[in-house]
Structure formats: structure tokens, C-alpha cells
């Protein structure tokens, strides 16, 4: 099986042939502007609008790079698209920079590109430019840094919660983090990462209106995202434990491993604040999409010291702390 | 001296305080749109125009990360800005994703951020969003992946050379690659990397007009860039050896180490094709800028099999091959 060699990273003909012959053919969404990925120029063009657009970037590293439900390529494309989505921006164009360790199988690299392409196809967005380098990156097999630009449909911030807003989560919580944790521990489960682009659900909600705030609960999980939204908005969030959708497998695994499912990453979910008079319609709209079919209203926004409280199933109320770190063992 | 710890990378409060208290204060160009770097939201906004804009991305890794004349931060900011510049686009907004190894000194990380900021200040461009992760990245101390978007002043490609065009280089050749090589070999020289943003020189040339093609001769050096331009444009380039500006230190070092200065990277230079009737004015305009003061006309474009030929100082003609790889030992 052919592997990435050090010489591939030297920027000469070897890398050029690797990119042209082995990697590019796995991509179908290669741009539609004056200069596309096919031109292999110093950059490429994307359609822009008069006013403002949104940009976001993230280095995606995951151990293992292939996991139940996806791989680092799908994670990178969906993750970056979702950061645009929660700002209320439709993903338009992406730039992808990959650093891969010497010896990484070229077939695996192709799978990463195909997964990126799958997400872009679903979104109707394009990968217009990129960069691939080879290095001695130690414990890290592959870093996929994905940058995206998006067209603003309606600019939504993570600081816009107002007292009275309802808190909506677009689906089950903890799937990605627990799937990775299970894979790292070598446990045999049916659990898959939820990694997926959320734009369809976000767009459905924005079309209804009344969305005051959004965030994707990735690292730090739902607990982290809610705390950040409460802090930035200057409000208290009260959630009801029994309303939080959690898969049975996630619940069992989290008890077995002593990990709080509210603190692990989700990669295909959005938490939103929605005006109370609009929340039923917004919920219906989100549920009508595949990625949002398990959406639930899980809480409400109140005036008060910024923090997150949870009404527990047994009737008490406790503070949901901001996680100090991610409980999932990481290479990065 | 405080160092980056694994826990900094876990996405919780530790990373948040590292970013807010230690890193952000080193940046002054933090955006000027509705959402800026200060908001630490999921992304940020940049001013866009009706039509098309240019995007480019590059993962920058260099050993050593601090070298005579610059560091990996300056390299990343200038390198990405220069990829926009050679497309004829004025750099507007940047997204920066850093992966740093555990144990990297935080003071060094601050220096990297300050160097990025220095380049952006010179350009009047902004770093609007970013991501910082910590990992066991082996031989690689730090990866700075910089993505930039730019406003098109005049879209220029690397494939636009026409027979009769003159070939212009905006300054001395081989400075960056030879400075890195000298640093890696522990040699004591006065040579510094040429790493710098080239937009001022490019803009001066575009204002005159007649620029048919541009490329920045980074990895693969001048030899690589010229070969790519010849191939893509379907023309022959003939350069005159004695006209190529090369510093005496670079010449001496390249003979000592047996490395061709035309094959090593430049990080503050542009090679252009210019219409013959405009070349004098373009050269004057480029030379009026600090970064372009040593610009020279080094050759001409002819019809013929796409390749690069060099008229040597002793009177012969030889083919300038496309480098197979970069002769500078790399970690990546």
C-alpha cells in the first residue's frame, strides 16, 4: 500500500503528482469562480456579496482519525461549516490545509478527501484552495485545518439570549465525544459520532424567525456552550434534565466510564435561544430536517447572575459548571 | 518560564485564559466588522464586495521557528498575504490556526503573535478569527496555518505569460532558503531571510499596468516558479544569469553548501511577466517601494516548447530544471 513519503512534502514534482493524480480526483466541489481548485494557482476566487461575510477556521485533530460515524475529514468540513451556520451564515467556500505524517497511507488520505467532498456536496459549497504538507508530526497522524467563508442569511451571535427565550437543542447530546471515547477504549458499541453539517436545520429555523442566539456545542459539550452563552449574554439559563435528549448507549457508556455526557463534544448539533412565541414553529421547522429530527426544547432563559442551572430528574436544582477541559483523552 | 501545557489544549477555561490574557493583547489588528476577534465567537465578519474575492491558505512550518530575519508567525502572515498579492488581491482579513507542541514557551508564542500583527499592521489587514490547539507534534514545534481573503484589484494569474513579455523579479533571490539553511547548519552569517509582505510592490506595478502574470517563488525557488509559469502559460522563458540579483553572501553560501540559489525559497519576492512597452515604468514603480528596491528585468518570454532556459555568464544556454524537491532540510 503506498504511503506518504517525506519527499512528497518538499513542494516539487512529487507533491504535484500526488495532488493532481491521487487527491484531486476525489473532490467534485472544486469551485465555480474565475479561479478554482483545478487551476492550482496561489489562491482561488469565491462569489462574494456587498457588505460583510463570515470567516471561521479550525484545526481538526482526532484520535483515531477514522472513527465510528466519520473521520477527520468529515469532522473538519462539518465542523467548520457548522461554525459558519451558527453565525447565521450559509457556507460558500472552503480552504483546506492538511499536514500529514510521513507513512500515512495514501488510500486513507483519499478517504479523508472524499469525506470532505461528501459534506461539501450536501451543502452545495466548494473547496477552492488548499495546501498539503508532510512532516514528522509525532503522535498526530493528520491535522486538517479547514477555513470557511459564508454568506450571512441573518447574523446571529452567541451573546444574544434574552430572558424568556426558550433553549432548543437540535438533537441528542454527547454522541461524538462518547463514540470517540469508546473507540479509544476499544469498546464494542453501536454508538456513532453525530458528525454532520447542521445548516439545513439552522436555515429552517432562521426562515421561521425568532432565533436570538446560537452555538455549536463542540469541545466542552453542551455544558460548555450553555455557560458561554449565559456569560456572554448576561443571563441565567435553566435547563430541565429530563428534557435533554440522550441516547441510551451514551447514557450507559457515560455511567460506565464516569464521564458527564453534557461535557463531551457534539459535532452535528446546535443549541439555540428562541423567542417563546416562536419556539413551537421553530421546533417544527427544525424537526422537519433529517439532522434536526430529534430536536427538543430543554430550558428557558431567566434574569439573574449569569450561570447555568439544571432542574434534576429527582426534583432538585444544581449548577452546571463550565468544564475545565475535555474529558476525552486527546492527542491534541 | 511558563510553557504551553497539554491542559491548555482541552478547550476549557485554561485555553480561554491563555488566549484572552496572554495572546490577544499582542494583536492590534483584530477586525473592524460587526463581529471581531475580540468577540471570540464561532467566527467573525469581514468587509466583502459584490462579485468575487480571493482566498488562499497555507500551513507554515519552519525549523527553526525563529530564524535570522523573522519567525514562523511573520512567515505565515507574509506568505499568505503574498499569495493573495500575486493574484492581484489586496489582503483584507485573515484566519489563523495554530497547533503548538506541549512545552513550547508561552513567551515565544507571544512573539509569534506579535510578528503576525506587525505584518498585518503594515498591510492594514486584520486577523479576525483563530484557533489554538496543543498537541504531541513530534519534531514539529509549531504549525501556523494562515488563511487570507483579499479584495481583487486586478485578477492576475500564474498562467498569463505571452511571447514578448519581460520577466521581472522584485529583488534578490535565495535569501530565505539560504538563511534557513545557514541557521540549520549552525553557520555564522549576516544573511537574513527576506520574509516580508510584497503587496506594496505589487500594487505599484498594477497601478502602472501591463502585468500579465505573477507568482511568488517560495518552495521550489525561482526555478520552480518560472517552470510553473512557463508550463501553465505554454511559453518558453529565457533568463540571463548575470541579471539575476543574488546577494554575495547567498552566492558564497550556495557554493560552499552545493545548493542552487535558484531552487531555494524566497518569502518576500514576486516574479512577474510584464508587457515590453510597460516594463520600464513598472520597474520604476516597483523600485520606488522598499520591498522592491532591488527589482530587475531578468529575462524574456518566447514562443516555443514550455521550459525555462538560462543564458549563462560564460555565454552558453542551459535548461533550468524544475526542482524535484526543496534542498533545504525540512521537518515538514
Amino acid at each position: 500500500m503506498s504511503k506518504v513519503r517525506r519527499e512528497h512534502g518538499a513542494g516539487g514534482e512529487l507533491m504535484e503528482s500526488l495532488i493532481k493524480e491521487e487527491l484531486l480526483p476525489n473532490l467534485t466541489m472544486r469551485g465555480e469562480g474565475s479561479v478554482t481548485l483545478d487551476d492550482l494557482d496561489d489562491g482561488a476566487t469565491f462569489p462574494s456579496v456587498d457588505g460583510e461575510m463570515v470567516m471561521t477556521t479550525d484545526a481538526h485533530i482526532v484520535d483515531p482519525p477514522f472513527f465510528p460515524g466519520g473521520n477527520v475529514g468529515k469532522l473538519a468540513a462539518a465542523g467548520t461549516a457548522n461554525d459558519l451556520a451558527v453565525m447565521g451564515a450559509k457556507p460558500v467556500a472552503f480552504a483546506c490545509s492538511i499536514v500529514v505524517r510521513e507513512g500515512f497511507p495514501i488510500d486513507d488520505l483519499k478517504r479523508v478527501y472524499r469525506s470532505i467532498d461528501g459534506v461539501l456536496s450536501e451543502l452545495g459549497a466548494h473547496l477552492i484552495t488548499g495546501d498539503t504538507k508532510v512532516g514528522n508530526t509525532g503522535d498526530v497522524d493528520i491535522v486538517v485545518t479547514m477555513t470557511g467563508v459564508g454568506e450571512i442569511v441573518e447574523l446571529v451571535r452567541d451573546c444574544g439570549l434574552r430572558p424568556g427565550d426558550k433553549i432548543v437543542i437540535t438533537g441528542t447530546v454527547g454522541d461524538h465525544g462518547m463514540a470517540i471515547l469508546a473507540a479509544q477504549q476499544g469498546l464494542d458499541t453501536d454508538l456513532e459520532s453525530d458528525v454532520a453539517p447542521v445548516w439545513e436545520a439552522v436555515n429552517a429555523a432562521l426562515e421561521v424567525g425568532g432565533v436570538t442566539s446560537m452555538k455549536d456545542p463542540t469541545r466542552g459539550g453542551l455544558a460548555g456552550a450553555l455557560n458561554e452563552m449565559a456569560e456572554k449574554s448576561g443571563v441565567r439559563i435553566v435547563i430541565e434534565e429530563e428534557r435533554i435528549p440522550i441516547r441510551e448507549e451514551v447514557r450507559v457508556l457515560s455511567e460506565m466510564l464516569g464521564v458527564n455526557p453534557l461535557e463531551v463534544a457534539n459535532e452535528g448539533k446546535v443549541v439555540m435561544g428562541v423567542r417563546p412565541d416562536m419556539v413551537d414553529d421553530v421546533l417544527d421547522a427544525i424537526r422537519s430536517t433529517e439532522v434536526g429530527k430529534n430536536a427538543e426544547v430543554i430550558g428557558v432563559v431567566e434574569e439573574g447572575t449569569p450561570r447555568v442551572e439544571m432542574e434534576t430528574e429527582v426534583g432538585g436544582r444544581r449548577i452546571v459548571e463550565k468544564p475545565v477541559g475535555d474529558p476525552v483523552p486527546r492527542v491534541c
Side-chain angles (χ1 to χ4, degrees), chain A:
Chain A
M1 188 168 55
S2 63
K3 296 187 173 182
V4 173
R5 287 181 288 145
R6 171 66 74 96
E7 304 82 75
H8 279 122
E13 286 202 35
L14 266 168
M15 178 53 95
E16 195 182 314
S17 71
L18 173 67
I19 290 175
K20 276 192 195 162
E21 287 152 36
E22 307 257 22
L23 303 182
L24 279 193
N26 299 290
L27 296 167
T28 62
M29 306 297 281
R30 299 188 272 196
E32 44 185 5
S34 310
V35 188
T36 71
L37 187 58
D38 288 307
D39 294 307
L40 295 175
D41 205 324
D42 299 290
T45 61
F46 61 93
S48 57
V49 296
D50 189 22
E52 283 193 332
M53 294 181 80
V54 175
M55 175 156 62
T56 188
T57 193
D58 237 326
H60 299 268
I61 304 165
V62 59
D63 174 33
F66 293 84
F67 51 79
N71 62 53
V72 65
K74 185 173 183 187
L75 187 67
T80 294
N82 291 349
D83 277 342
L84 294 173
V86 295
M87 304 276 302
K90 178 179 174 9
V92 170
F94 291 82
C96 177
S97 165
I98 290 183
V99 179
V100 64
R101 71 163 169 75
E102 224 178 327
F104 193 80
I106 289 177
D107 280 345
D108 283 353
L109 200 51
K110 291 182 190 173
R111 283 171 66 197
V112 168
Y113 277 89
R114 281 198 295 274
S115 296
I116 292 170
D117 193 60
V119 172
L120 299 186
S121 299
E122 195 178 328
L123 290 165
H126 290 264
L127 179 62
I128 65 169
T129 188
D131 177 44
T132 309
K133 290 200 167 66
V134 183
N136 286 336
T137 45
D139 292 350
V140 176
D141 278 330
I142 180 168
V143 185
V144 182
T145 304
M146 192 71 81
T147 308
V149 296
E151 186 180 339
I152 298 170
V153 170
E154 182 191 333
L155 190 59
V156 178
R157 304 293 310 280
D158 59 4
C159 57
L161 292 179
R162 291 168 308 192
D165 285 351
K166 299 291 185 179
I167 300 292
V168 172
I169 181 87
T170 58
T172 54
V173 168
D175 301 21
H176 176 75
M178 294 308 299
I180 296 294
L181 205 47
Q184 288 178 349
Q185 307 277 328
L187 299 174
D188 188 26
T189 73
D190 291 334
L191 188 61
E192 292 200 338
S193 165
D194 61 341
V195 55
V198 296
W199 173 248
E200 195 192 356
V202 167
N203 194 37
L206 294 179
E207 278 177 1
V208 175
V211 177
T212 59
S213 200
M214 287 194 280
K215 200 154 193 76
D216 54 336
T218 54
R219 283 203 293 184
L222 182 64
L226 288 174
N227 269 285
E228 208 172 328
M229 293 171 89
E231 226 171 71
K232 285 185 165 180
S233 307
V235 296
R236 180 175 304 167
I237 296 174
V238 182
I239 54 174
E240 291 176 61
E241 187 170 22
E242 62 184 14
R243 287 179 173 244
I244 302 171
I246 300 183
R247 283 185 204 286
E248 189 52 29
E249 307 95 292
V250 169
R251 203 179 290 277
V252 170
L253 259 175
S254 70
E255 275 166 23
M256 202 170 98
L257 299 169
V259 169
N260 183 347
L262 304 191
E263 294 193 355
V264 302
N266 310 276
E267 295 291 348
K269 302 294 150 52
V270 181
V271 53
M272 296 180 185
V274 183
R275 273 173 43 186
D277 56 321
M278 310 288 273
V279 74
D280 290 342
D281 290 344
V282 166
L283 195 65
D284 284 347
I286 294 171
R287 283 180 174 166
S288 74
T289 67
E290 177 60 28
V291 74
K293 64 186 176 199
N294 297 318
E296 294 286 352
V297 176
I298 60 168
V300 67
V301 178
E302 295 181 352
E303 278 186 64
T305 315
R307 65 176 180 227
V308 181
E309 295 179 2
M310 182 158 72
E311 289 183 349
T312 61
E313 286 171 12
V314 295
R317 229 187 220 212
R318 65 173 179 82
I319 290 176
V320 178
E321 302 282 359
K322 187 173 198 167
V324 175
D326 193 319
V328 178
R330 302 169 57 80
V331 287
C332 194

